[in-house]
Amino acid sequence: MERCHDLFPLEDSRDSVLRHTTDNGVSWITLNRPSAMNAITPDQREHLISLLDHASADPAVRAVVLTATGKGFCAGADLRGATDGAERVAGDVARLIRGGAQRLIAAVLDCEKPMIAAVNGTAAGLGAHLALACDLVLAAESAVFIEAFVRRGLVPDGGGAYLLPRLIGPQRAKELMFFGDALPAAEAERLGLVNRVVPDDDLAKTARAWAERLAAGPTRALALTKALVNSSLESGRPAAFAAEAAAQEINMTTADAQEGVRAFIERRPPVYRGR
């Protein structure tokens, strides 16, 4: 039987810890440290941030899929070497979090292309937040989400206390963070953390279908919509309405918006170019 991650396009057969390719307008980013449950190293984090920045600027990229190989989606940050015995100066940890995990989650939230997380297995700690920061979350039936920080005596970081209350409310968020219990994919879907749960063998083709549909859409309109939704929870109604009007003003200058209106008048399907 083929495993779901074997069907995702990969750049080549090199043992790279972060594989990347662009296929039919979709940037596929695959975490590839299965022996470490895809725990993210600092170098891997920086490469991922760079790829997301590039995706925002590259007109050939119109959607992004983030997935992984092996049984885990991402076990969080690789903590090996985090306690090396060196004297810690006050402020060091906060600077590390701001420059590391928070930058990574911000890069996902701020990416100007729609992002799909295709969660193939365990997503724990920062790995869970990495998935939940994406615009759409697909999960294999075998996937689980774990707020693992309390298990290590840590405070949630990587945007967890920002993301979870906005997705499922403060009471549910605190339940997950206080107990650190594994949340099966089906329950995550019921709570609203996941858009769709699919059989493991269907994860790849579902992610591809969704991503290619997004890649065929009006790219700038999607970017502006993403920004509006992400900012709406911090905005009052006047600011949200003003941002919406400004976004529509900007969007109407795009070729895709003009094509969409023209296609509606001519009663034909629009053909969007991402411009």
Side-chain angles (χ1 to χ4, degrees), residues 65 85 92 111 129 135 158 165-167 186 197 209 217 225 228 246 275:
V65 176
D92 281 354
C111 181
H129 302 164
D135 304 302
R166 286 163 170 76
L167 292 168
V197 176
T225 300
L228 284 174
R275 307 286 182 175

Side-chain angles (χ1 to χ4, degrees), residues 38-177:
N38 295 305
I40 297 178
T41 66
D43 285 347
Q44 196 177 16
R45 179 194 68 223
E46 293 305 308
H47 189 191
L48 182 51
I49 291 171
S50 177
L51 287 173
L52 295 178
D53 287 344
H54 178 77
S56 288
D58 187 354
V61 174
R62 298 173 65 185
V64 178
V65 176
L66 179 62
T67 191
T69 60
K71 296 180 179 180
F73 173 75
C74 178
D78 190 333
L79 297 180
R80 288 178 295 183
T83 55
D84 56 8
E87 182 180 358
R88 181 173 292 157
V89 177
D92 281 354
V93 173
R95 280 187 290 273
L96 181 67
I97 296 300
R98 286 195 301 267
Q102 290 179 351
R103 277 182 60 242
L104 175 59
I105 299 303
V108 176
L109 293 170
D110 295 339
C111 181
E112 296 180 27
K113 307 298 167 64
M115 288 193 62
I116 296 172
V119 183
N120 55 296
T122 300
L126 177 61
H129 302 164
L130 183 61
L132 299 177
C134 291
D135 304 302
L136 300 170
V137 183
L138 293 170
E141 288 177 340
S142 63
V144 295
F145 298 82
I146 308 173
E147 285 296 316
F149 296 93
V150 70
R151 297 184 178 187
R152 301 164 184 158
L154 301 176
V155 172
D157 62 37
Y162 172 86
L163 291 168
L164 261 73
R166 286 163 170 76
L167 292 168
I168 58 176
Q171 300 304 115
R172 289 290 193 181
K174 282 183 272 191
E175 179 183 346
L176 295 178
M177 291 179 168

Side-chain angles (χ1 to χ4, degrees), residues 174-216:
K174 282 183 272 191
E175 179 183 346
L176 295 178
M177 291 179 168
F178 286 2
F179 294 114
D181 293 334
L183 186 71
E187 181 66 6
E189 182 183 32
R190 188 185 72 78
L191 291 177
L193 289 173
V194 168
N195 293 89
R196 185 87 48 91
V197 176
V198 299
D200 286 32
D201 291 343
D202 290 344
L203 180 63
K205 71 177 183 182
T206 304
R208 178 178 289 280
W210 282 32
E212 290 186 351
R213 185 175 177 185
L214 290 170

